[in-house]
Amino acid sequence: MAKGGEGLKLDLREILVSEGSRLPFERELDAERLSFPSVEGYLGPVTGRGEVLNTAGVLTARGSVEARMRCVCDRCGREFETGRRTDFETPLLPETEGAADDGEAFFLEGDTLDIDELLETAFILDMPAKFLCRSDCRGLCPRCGKDLNEGDCGCKPETDPRFAVLEQLLDK
């Protein structure tokens, strides 16, 4: 398996002229290029694999990118480990003027495909907006900072200021 860093260009000349042909690829990506605020680090290589297919003269890249990561929960701040698998299937188009508007396709550089760029883009676009240690993470109390996953903190809920007068009546 090739190492990331130098950018692998996949030569597609043979597959371009042969309908029904396939060109497999496997690549270890440079984890430094895949940094996210909530990802502390990767626990091993980030690997991508797949193939480029020529179906009736139309090229398609499909495959997956897999990684194990050490993350920080965006709600409670705990470190946790998680795995991520991103599957992709995208048409490959020649880089022509006006074609840049197609958000679903990936563009070739002449007869070559920058496989690192394709894999990195697929992985980055599939990342979650928030990293959570678990789907039902309750986060931290905004008043005292206690981790609510360990139990309630005992802080009295804030009252809407519009109901303060009513609360005073209830307290009496």
Side-chain angles (χ1 to χ4, degrees), residues 6 19 21 24 32 40-41 48 53 62 72 74 79 89 111-112 117 122 127 136 152 163-164:
E6 64 276 0
E19 285 187 28
S21 59
E32 288 182 21
E40 292 287 307
L53 303 116
R62 68 177 176 197
V72 175
D74 285 325
E79 276 197 11
E89 184 167 340
D111 292 339
T112 64
E117 187 177 342
M127 284 300 232
D136 64 342
D152 290 334
F163 297 117

Side-chain angles (χ1 to χ4, degrees), residues 41-55:
Y42 291 90
L43 306 170
V46 179
T47 56
R49 57 182 54 87
E51 61 186 354
V52 176
L53 303 116
N54 180 338
T55 308

Side-chain angles (χ1 to χ4, degrees), residues 27-141:
R27 186 80 174 142
E28 186 176 308
L29 298 175
D30 182 358
E32 288 182 21
R33 292 177 42 107
L34 301 171
S35 65
F36 296 90
S38 295
V39 176
E40 292 287 307
Y42 291 90
L43 306 170
V46 179
T47 56
R49 57 182 54 87
E51 61 186 354
V52 176
L53 303 116
N54 180 338
T55 308
V58 177
L59 294 184
T60 304
R62 68 177 176 197
S64 64
V65 181
E66 294 184 58
R68 295 266 326 138
M69 304 175 289
R70 187 177 59 257
C71 303
V72 175
C73 181
D74 285 325
R75 285 191 188 151
C76 70
R78 283 188 190 174
E79 276 197 11
F80 66 100
E81 293 181 9
T82 187
R84 182 133 199 97
R85 178 187 168 108
T86 297
D87 294 317
F88 64 89
E89 184 167 340
T90 185
L92 302 175
L93 301 175
E95 194 171 43
T96 58
E97 225 174 284
D101 294 337
D102 191 334
E104 297 295 315
F106 204 82
F107 297 98
L108 301 174
E109 299 168 6
D111 292 339
T112 64
L113 170 65
D114 185 336
I115 199 66
D116 286 356
E117 187 177 342
L118 171 70
L119 295 170
E120 289 168 359
T121 300
F123 188 69
I124 289 168
L125 290 177
D126 191 49
M127 284 300 232
K130 288 190 180 268
F131 287 83
L132 301 178
C133 60
R134 59 186 206 217
S135 62
D136 64 342
C137 178
R138 295 179 59 202
L140 304 176
C141 172

